[in-house]
Structure formats: C-alpha cells, structure tokens
Amino acid sequence: MPVEQRGAIFVVDQDWLRCDLPLPDADELGSALTDRHKKINGQVLFAGKEMPALIFVSNETDHCSFAILEEPKESHAELAPRVFGATEHYLALFYSAYSFSEAILPEQRCYLPATFVEPTLYNRSQKKLVPLMHAKNARRAIISGSAGAGKTTLLRHFMLQIARTASTSSQQTNIPVYIALRDWRKSDSFEVCAKRALVDLKGDWLADNFYYFAERGELTFALDGIDEISNDVRDTALHDLRLFVRQYANCSFLLSTRTGVETRPLAEFTDFELRPFNQAQVREIIFHKLHGQRPWKPFWTRLASEAYLLDLVGNPLLLTLLLARYVRKELSPHFITESIAAMMEALVDEWDAVRGIVRSKNAELSPARKTNLLRILAHHVNSASGHFSTQEVADQLKRVYPDKAPATVLALLEQHTSMIRRGDDGTWSFRHRLIQEFYTCLHWIDRLGSKFSESIGRISGSSDKKSTRMLRFMTALSSDASDIVAEALNAAPPYRAGLAIGLCESLSQRLTIDPNVVDGFALYCRVLIESMFAEAKSVEVQTGSASIWRLVVNGPDANGAEWANSLSELLEAIHKVRDGSANHALCKAFDESPSQAIQSLSLLLALEGEFQINRENEGQSSGFVASLEPALPELPNGLDPEDIPKADATRH
C-alpha cells in the first residue's frame, strides 16, 4: 500500500485503511516498480501501531513509496505438555553458569553469591546517583560504563537473584534468560539467540514454549554487551531487538554496553551508568579476594600510598587483575610501571581476546594500532587542560589510520579501550591521568636522553609530582636503569630532597640496575637525611608508644614549613622502597649511620604498617610526628563479620 515518509518512519494514509482492493505480494510489487525505488526494511505506522515492513522508497518526490507489512507473529496461547522438572533443572544450571564473574586470570574470578560488592549507579536522565534497586526494578534498563566497570557482573547478580527466587517458588512466573550479545551471528534474530541461550542450559521445553512465556511477560532478558556485537551486524541486531521489545512489552529487559556506543534506537530504556568504586568498595573487594590466601592490609597500605593508581583501580577489572598478580607474587602496587603495563595490555587486547570478542570483521583497530594511537594522543594532550580536539590530532591519526576519518577513529578507540572519552564540549581526554602519562613515556622512550634531563631538572629543586611519576615510568621502561640513576646523581645539585624523593619512587619498583649505582643512591639518601636532621632543633625516636616506630621532629625556624614538607615526603618515599630494588641498600646505609634516629629508619623498610605524618601545627610550623602504626580495621568499612565468605568460596 502507498505510504508517506514522515521523519524516520513511514505512515499509511487513512484512506487506504478502508480499501478492499487486493494487494500485490512482494515479488509482484517489486517487478511492477521501476528503478526509481529502493528496498529497505523499516517501520510503518499502521492503525496507530508501528509494524515492521518491506518498504519500496521512491527516489523522486513526485512518486509514491510503497510498503508491504510483515504478518504479525502467530499467537501461542497454548502451553505444550510440561516435562517433569524441566524448569527447575534449567534454573539450577543457570545459577551454576552465571555464579562467577568473567576474568582474564583464574584468580580474578569472584563467586558472586558470596562476594558481590554493590556498585554506585548514576541515572543519566535524572543526572543523580540512585540506589541499585532502581535498576533492578526497571523493566527497561541499560547498564553502561567503561571497559571492566562491572557491567556483566551486575547483570549476573540481578539474574541470579531472579533465578533464586524462581527456583524457590511453586509456580515460576519470572524466568531469567541470559544472552551474550557477542555471540550474535549475521543470520540471527533475537528469538534465535534467546532460544539458543535456553537450549544451551537444557531449557529445551522453555525454548519450545518461548512465545507462550514471552506473551505472558514471564521472561526477564539480560542482554550483555551491545558494544560486543560486531560492527557489521550491530545496526541490524539493534533493529531486531527493538521490534521484539515492542512486540513483547510485558517482558523485562536489562542491557549492558560500554559508554560511547550509540543506543538512541532504545530511547525507552533508562540508562544507569556504573561509577568507579570508592575506597570503601575497593577495600571490600581486596578483602574478599585475599581472604584466606594472603593478608589484605599490606596490599591496601601499598595501594593507598599510590594516589593515582588508587584512582585507576576504581575499575573492578583492573583492581582484580592487580590482586591476581599480587596473589601470584608477581606484582605489588609499588611496581607501578609493571602494574600499569599489565592493565593497559588488558584493556587494549587481553580482555576481548579471552572472551572471544571480535568487534569488527575488518580488524579496524588491531592491538598494535591501538597502542600507537594512544601513544600519539598522550603526547599531544594539552598539558594545561588535559584535553585535545579532533582537529589537533587529525594529521597524526591519519598516519596510523589513513582510511578512516579522525573522528571515527577516536570514537572506535573509546569503544574498544575506554581509555579516552569525549566531553560534552566535543573535546577528548584520557579517562585517567596516569594512563596518559604512561603512554607519553612510551612515546618518549626513543628520545629518553633529552626527556630524562628535562624531568631531572624539574625535580632537583623541588618535588614535582608529575615529573616524579614520569621518572618512575622511564626508569622501569628502560632495559637498564643504571645510567639513568647514575646520571641523575651526578648531574643534579648535591643533597636535594626533590631528587632523592624522585629516585626513591623509581626504586620502589623492580629495576634492572647495577648494585653499585644503588649503593651510591642509598649513600646519597643517608647523607641527605643526616644533613637535614642536623638542621633540626630536635629529632627524637620515641619508644613505649602504641606505634611500631615513632619519630618526633622539631625543625628549623628558617624555611621551616618547606623543610618539614620535604622531609615528610622523603620519609614517605623511603617507606615505599620496601618492595623495590633499593631496599637492602638503604637498610645497610641507615644501619651504618652513627645516628640512632637514622638507624631507626630501617624499620620503615622492614615492617608492615600504616605510615602517617601528623603536623603539630598548621601554617609555618616545622614540627611533625612520623609514625608507623600497626592498627588497621580488621574488616573493610561496611562489611559485616557475618558476611565473610568461607575461605574457599572465591576459589571454586
């Protein structure tokens, strides 16, 4: 019948609703139309309802467009004879299949019924934080977030609750169906994917009666990973999904996708964005993962001392990856370059590879290309604002990827890695500063000499935080850090706290380095601290307190505040070295000092505890108390002792 296009939809004229003339079929209509029409699959508004149709669209404004409406699906009101225990068996297998989180390493997996940590949700339409219950009770919800933010884990948590409720009910009225959208094939429809998910868990009887349950609204669908559907079939899949959602409006649908992926066809869904974990949530995950395997407190104190790394591991995937490596005794939070390298490899390649996700059949962004693009972008970030525009990096992107528009490349890089994001003003930035700094150092590594000298110049006079972090990356990325550290010790003015802090931070990692160079660094630190202690009015090591170690310092009157800040930061940096390449050398150097106060610094490198600096007075005061405290809460904030899982619960 003739149709008129109105915006994105075609509308049947009301006069044709009353026409009794026989209509041609698709073949007859196709042969009758000229080459001034093209065929598309779309939506037609018919009698107040949107219906799928085959549309012949006119290429000229003075010719009619035509549409053949698809026949509505047959109603399946009758329920086939039930196989004894069919639903119960399906629910048991469902619970078993989705009780664990996805992971790169086996040690990352979490047993959700015992160790699920409730995330923070942000309602993007209301622009406010909301309780988890809002998403659970929504009949149409999208869970969005960056790569590894916990979208799949949250979907599984919701569906496990539904499965548990259904399995304990005498009459199942809400059956969970979990569909990994990464498995969507070019020839699939939504119904095919749903039935396949049921059959895979021995739900053959449910698949045979699929339409019966769908029409009655007794199915809840978890659709995991819109972003994981291959680019060449995503639009078709979303169109088919939208039709199914509208046809079976009584069912509930929970979707997940990475931020940056187009979801406008699903406008009736409420978008709940997963926010990064706060420190209390991070501590709870650490406790759950290390409980019964290794003490959780030493890991937390190391992580808490690395402020930028702590910000980065608000991402559950990256946090559990670091924890898994820690359990294997491969990494510590102080090994910051190794830690960041492992995390970036996960986001660039491993996370997709272990789950078999192919985001494009044309390999639009290979891992090597992603890495090159990130290095280029990091180098061109505006140091003042932290942002860059598409135009600013267009020429550089075309060198790596000449066949795609720069804006498209950036959008794909956001979807594939979640390392960059687009702001409301259209500019781009790295999601975390530490990522940008790491890739900048990778870009600099071929020009290490000039960039290293620049960093040394910045931290010699005072402790420049960014240059200190960059120095840590450059020393660890070098095949041998001996020349770098030796050059720093020789080139810098003698006995400057800024340089000592920067090198302590670097040597808190495992470096390939000449022992003689490390001994020279340790002597440099000892002589520096001896000279600073000599300037103080008093330095006293106190015993008999609850602290493991306690140092009371009363600094000089001249430049007292600056002096106290430098010494405080140096002591904090020394405390980090206990896992790194300079541990033994520093201990030996401190033990050889005639000063009892300096000898006591060896305890910072030998004992576990929470390092604290308490200023006696604010303002210009130079007095402070440094201490190593043994007391940490036995359980993370908010965790009830009754909720502690059995020791083997996380190792199924």
Side-chain angles (χ1 to χ4, degrees):
M1 58 185 67
V3 291
E4 175 186 353
Q5 187 169 7
R6 298 180 187 173
I9 199 167
F10 292 82
V11 180
V12 178
D13 191 290
Q14 290 296 314
D15 291 337
W16 282 85
L17 295 180
R18 298 187 293 271
C19 179
D20 294 329
L21 295 176
L23 297 175
D25 60 25
D27 293 334
E28 292 171 336
L29 185 58
S31 61
L33 295 175
T34 66
D35 57 3
R36 290 174 294 190
H37 293 78
K38 63 178 181 179
K39 291 191 297 183
I40 64 170
N41 290 313
Q43 294 289 107
V44 168
L45 186 63
F46 177 80
K49 297 181 179 180
E50 287 188 31
M51 298 182 63
L54 178 64
I55 304 171
F56 296 82
V57 184
S58 172
N59 295 326
E60 300 180 16
T61 57
D62 57 345
H63 284 76
C64 285
S65 295
F66 297 87
I68 296 179
L69 304 186
E70 295 182 11
E71 291 291 333
K73 289 183 170 64
E74 179 185 355
S75 177
H76 295 256
E78 295 298 326
L79 182 65
R82 177 174 175 175
V83 179
F84 178 75
T87 308
E88 293 79 3
H89 188 48
Y90 166 78
L91 291 171
L93 290 175
F94 185 97
Y95 201 85
S96 175
Y98 298 111
S99 288
F100 288 88
S101 62
E102 293 186 316
I104 296 173
L105 299 175
E107 293 88 346
Q108 280 184 270
R109 300 181 73 205
C110 297
Y111 182 58
L112 300 182
T115 62
F116 177 76
V117 176
E118 184 170 317
T120 302
L121 289 183
Y122 177 78
N123 187 314
R124 298 185 70 178
S125 60
Q126 297 179 358
K127 297 184 179 179
K128 67 177 184 180
L129 299 177
V130 296
L132 195 63
M133 192 64 66
H134 282 217
K136 181 182 177 182
N137 293 338
R139 295 181 62 81
R140 306 282 186 275
I142 293 178
I143 307 298
S144 62
S146 61
K151 302 179 294 295
T152 296
T153 297
L154 182 55
L155 282 191
R156 292 187 175 189
H157 171 71
F158 283 155
M159 299 302 277
L160 288 175
Q161 290 183 320
I162 293 171
R164 184 163 54 241
T165 302
S167 63
T168 57
S169 175
S170 58
Q171 291 184 339
Q172 291 85 11
T173 58
N174 194 0
I175 300 170
V177 183
Y178 191 100
I179 302 173
L181 293 177
R182 72 193 66 156
D183 297 328
W184 193 296
R185 303 161 188 164
K186 192 170 185 179
S187 59
D188 279 348
S189 64
F190 182 82
E191 294 93 326
V192 169
C193 289
K195 290 182 178 180
R196 186 164 61 224
L198 291 168
V199 171
D200 286 346
L201 296 178
K202 309 301 181 185
D204 302 69
W205 177 77
L206 295 171
D208 292 339
N209 294 279
F210 178 74
Y211 295 112
Y212 172 87
F213 291 108
E215 289 171 1
R216 293 166 61 91
E218 296 182 3
L219 300 177
T220 295
F221 295 95
L223 312 175
D224 187 20
I226 292 175
D227 60 287
E228 296 171 3
I229 306 174
S230 181
N231 288 345
D232 54 334
V233 298
R234 186 182 299 162
D235 289 343
T236 303
L238 284 177
H239 173 75
D240 193 65
L241 169 60
R242 180 169 175 262
L243 295 182
F244 186 90
V245 170
R246 293 193 173 189
Q247 185 167 358
Y248 298 101
N250 292 329
C251 293
S252 296
F253 298 85
L254 293 169
L255 283 69
S256 72
T257 186
R258 288 187 184 179
T259 50
V261 174
E262 181 59 68
T263 57
R264 279 182 296 182
L266 305 172
E268 67 269 34
F269 282 69
T270 303
D271 190 345
F272 298 95
E273 183 180 21
L274 281 171
R275 288 300 174 88
F277 278 0
N278 58 35
Q279 291 192 21
Q281 292 164 323
V282 168
R283 283 197 299 270
E284 190 172 345
I285 288 182
I286 293 171
F287 175 80
H288 282 311
K289 294 303 297 178
L290 297 183
H291 180 67
Q293 299 185 72
R294 295 189 67 181
W296 72 275
K297 296 175 188 177
F299 181 91
W300 166 249
T301 57
R302 285 164 170 76
L303 182 60
S305 69
E306 304 287 354
Y308 285 90
L309 186 61
L310 182 59
D311 178 54
L312 185 59
V313 297
N315 180 294
L317 171 69
L318 302 184
L319 174 59
T320 55
L321 180 63
L322 182 58
L323 281 163
R325 297 289 189 190
Y326 181 76
V327 169
R328 293 182 173 197
K329 299 185 178 181
E330 296 173 351
L331 285 180
S332 168
H334 288 168
F335 305 159
I336 191 166
T337 306
E338 289 183 69
S339 299
I340 296 296
M343 293 175 184
M344 298 307 97
E345 178 64 22
L347 293 178
V348 167
D349 184 34
E350 287 182 334
W351 189 223
D352 279 354
V354 297
R355 297 177 298 157
I357 295 173
V358 180
R359 298 184 182 274
S360 172
K361 299 297 184 183
N362 300 320
E364 290 173 318
L365 284 177
S366 66
R369 275 184 167 178
K370 293 177 195 175
T371 299
N372 286 340
L373 287 169
L374 290 165
R375 290 168 63 170
I376 290 171
L377 295 177
H379 180 62
H380 285 85
V381 168
N382 185 308
S383 58
S385 67
H387 294 79
F388 59 92
S389 68
T390 304
Q391 188 60 38
E392 288 172 350
V393 296
D395 292 341
Q396 288 76 20
L397 296 186
K398 287 179 180 178
R399 296 176 189 173
V400 181
Y401 208 123
D403 302 327
K404 286 280 186 182
T408 302
V409 174
L410 290 173
L412 289 173
L413 195 62
E414 179 187 22
Q415 294 178 27
H416 287 207
T417 69
S418 291
M419 292 192 205
I420 63 172
R421 58 184 171 190
R422 187 175 184 178
D424 295 336
D425 60 356
T427 62
W428 295 86
S429 65
F430 277 81
R431 192 173 290 272
H432 295 277
R433 183 183 298 181
L434 204 61
I435 295 176
Q436 182 261 320
E437 292 172 354
F438 175 78
Y439 278 106
T440 298
C441 289
L442 279 178
H443 189 77
W444 283 355
I445 201 68
D446 293 333
R447 297 180 291 158
L448 187 58
S450 61
K451 294 300 178 182
F452 171 71
S453 299
E454 181 180 320
S455 295
I456 288 296
R458 288 177 178 173
I459 67 174
S460 291
S462 62
S463 181
D464 179 71
K465 301 296 185 184
K466 179 178 178 180
S467 294
T468 297
R469 292 194 301 271
M470 303 286 268
L471 179 62
R472 293 178 80 181
F473 287 144
M474 287 190 286
T475 51
L477 289 170
S478 301
S479 58
D480 189 325
S482 303
D483 291 342
I484 297 176
V485 176
E487 181 182 343
L489 292 170
N490 293 330
Y495 312 128
R496 293 292 182 90
L499 177 63
I501 292 168
L503 291 178
C504 279
E505 296 270 2
S506 293
L507 288 159
S508 67
Q509 308 173 95
R510 297 177 296 193
L511 304 181
T512 302
I513 190 168
D514 187 335
N516 293 323
V517 174
V518 179
D519 290 341
F521 154 77
L523 181 60
Y524 182 97
C525 289
R526 193 193 89 185
V527 173
L528 171 63
I529 296 174
E530 286 175 344
S531 66
M532 295 187 76
F533 280 7
E535 295 174 3
K537 292 181 179 179
S538 64
V539 178
E540 178 186 0
V541 179
Q542 291 187 347
T543 58
S545 67
S547 304
I548 301 174
W549 170 84
R550 183 179 176 89
L551 186 73
V552 181
V553 177
N554 188 10
D557 294 328
N559 300 318
E562 181 181 351
W563 181 92
N565 286 334
S566 296
L567 181 57
S568 298
E569 291 180 4
L570 179 55
L571 294 177
E572 289 176 343
I574 288 173
H575 183 238
K576 289 184 180 181
V577 177
R578 60 193 185 279
D579 291 326
S581 295
N583 185 338
H584 298 301
L586 275 176
C587 281
K588 180 181 177 182
F590 293 153
D591 289 341
E592 292 174 350
S593 173
S595 166
Q596 181 185 0
I598 292 177
Q599 291 175 16
S600 74
L601 296 182
S602 294
L603 296 177
L604 291 178
L605 300 165
L607 300 178
E608 291 292 344
E610 184 177 12
F611 184 80
Q612 296 180 354
I613 295 284
N614 296 311
R615 299 295 296 270
E616 292 183 348
N617 296 295
E618 298 297 330
Q620 298 301 312
S621 171
S622 61
F624 67 87
V625 176
S627 62
L628 193 64
E629 302 293 334
L632 280 173
E634 288 302 318
L635 298 177
N637 294 356
L639 186 64
D640 191 298
E642 297 298 324
D643 295 333
I644 300 175
K646 290 183 171 57
D648 61 347
T650 60
R651 296 197 292 274
H652 284 288

